[in-house]
Amino acid sequence: MLIFFVRHGETVDNVGGIYAGVRDSELTNHGILQARSLADYLRQSRCPVGLILASPLQRARRTAEAILDAQNGKTGTQTSAGDADPGRSQATIVKTPLLIEQDFGFYEGKPFYARSSESNKSGKDAHYDKHRQDPNFKDVESKESMAKRCDEFLDEFLVPAIHERDGQDIAIAVVSHGILLSNLWRRFLLRLARKSITIAPEVTAAKGQIILEHLGGWSNTGFLEVRLTSRSDPDAGLVNDLQLLSNGQGTVPASDALPSSTTNEAASTEVDGDTTTPPVPISTGEVADPDTPSVLFNVPPRSRGLASYDVNILTVNGQEHLRGVKRARGGIGSSKYDEGQKSLDSFFKKAKK
């Protein structure tokens, strides 16, 4: 079984350098192209995507729907309806607000702030200090709140879906947002047995040193791909509360998952960082790692539900599908996608007789 953790395509706010967490930013024309390229890539992947779990915000929903259409052989992607495989199970999509991006509070809809030449503080810190006493001020969603949402998603959606499809040659796609995905991955790690995580050699060859809790940012439509294989002994290597740090802050030990040449002891001794300000997404589509360093809040060991699985990380921030995908010139690629607009090719198609 495969799981793809996927970030949505490029949005208008990505291009404009605008904070968009719960704000329902729309995909650009280039973002739609990214989503469709990803959809076609996943259709030709190692196994079919049978279930798509998605954020209901339109940037994630449209990306998820592109994957759904390609899996089911519908038009709208490069895969035509005639390519549908009669013997292929139809994919389904489930949307849940648990996968919505971090709420940036008073930052929502505001531009990224540059560092002021008159202050040692970052632009966002200076802005925060200036406005935190304003009436109706709303702070940024906390790490604790995001951890709770991620745990609920795992308990209510992903873990049951994994068990229902155990042993099947099928994939699950989780389509969400950069910061939420980074937090979800860390919560996912806490559900795994101590020695169950391995990393594909091609990943370490391409990425170098890997710290499990900090795999880096998700590019637009970038994906993390992992393979889950059920193990006969569910208690083998199970991490219990005593193996986590005594103050309730812990990580899945990276030393058991990494080759000795890439082991980093710091991965298991992370300390909490500043939680008052959001990370700054980069306008090129990259999302900065939100918690560097971070806290992984404790999870009851017997409620994790994934202790009987081995996990192999196959791809980190996969972008193979974007090779050859070029942005349309003249600002068209960065413009808001309009479902009713005609593509350039449509102007040259001959009318059917």
Side-chain angles (χ1 to χ4, degrees), residues 99-170:
L99 288 175
I100 286 176
E101 180 61 296
Q102 181 182 27
D103 186 344
F104 289 140
F106 77 108
Y107 283 106
E108 289 285 342
K110 295 182 174 65
F112 303 158
Y113 293 95
R115 182 182 295 275
S116 171
S117 59
E118 301 175 357
S119 173
N120 291 327
K121 294 182 179 180
S122 68
K124 62 182 185 298
D125 287 340
H127 186 76
Y128 176 87
D129 288 344
K130 180 179 179 181
H131 293 282
R132 61 182 174 179
Q133 301 301 327
D134 291 354
N136 302 318
F137 172 83
K138 183 180 180 182
D139 208 344
V140 178
E141 182 181 8
S142 68
K143 291 179 184 178
E144 291 87 349
S145 173
M146 294 196 72
K148 181 179 179 181
R149 283 204 285 130
C150 290
D151 285 340
E152 288 181 14
F153 169 74
L154 290 170
D155 289 334
E156 297 177 17
F157 292 92
L158 187 55
V159 172
I162 289 171
H163 286 295
E164 288 172 7
R165 293 159 179 79
D166 188 26
Q168 298 180 31
D169 187 22
I170 200 166

Side-chain angles (χ1 to χ4, degrees), residues 57-68:
L57 294 180
Q58 62 177 308
R59 56 192 186 269
R61 174 177 56 79
R62 284 187 179 275
T63 303
E65 288 171 350
I67 298 172
L68 180 74

Side-chain angles (χ1 to χ4, degrees), residues 55 61 130 136 186 201 206 213 236 251 260 275 297 300 319 327:
S55 160
R61 174 177 56 79
K130 180 179 179 181
N136 302 318
R186 296 185 186 107
E213 294 87 352
T251 66
S260 58
T275 62
F297 303 97
Q319 300 178 69
R327 182 183 300 277

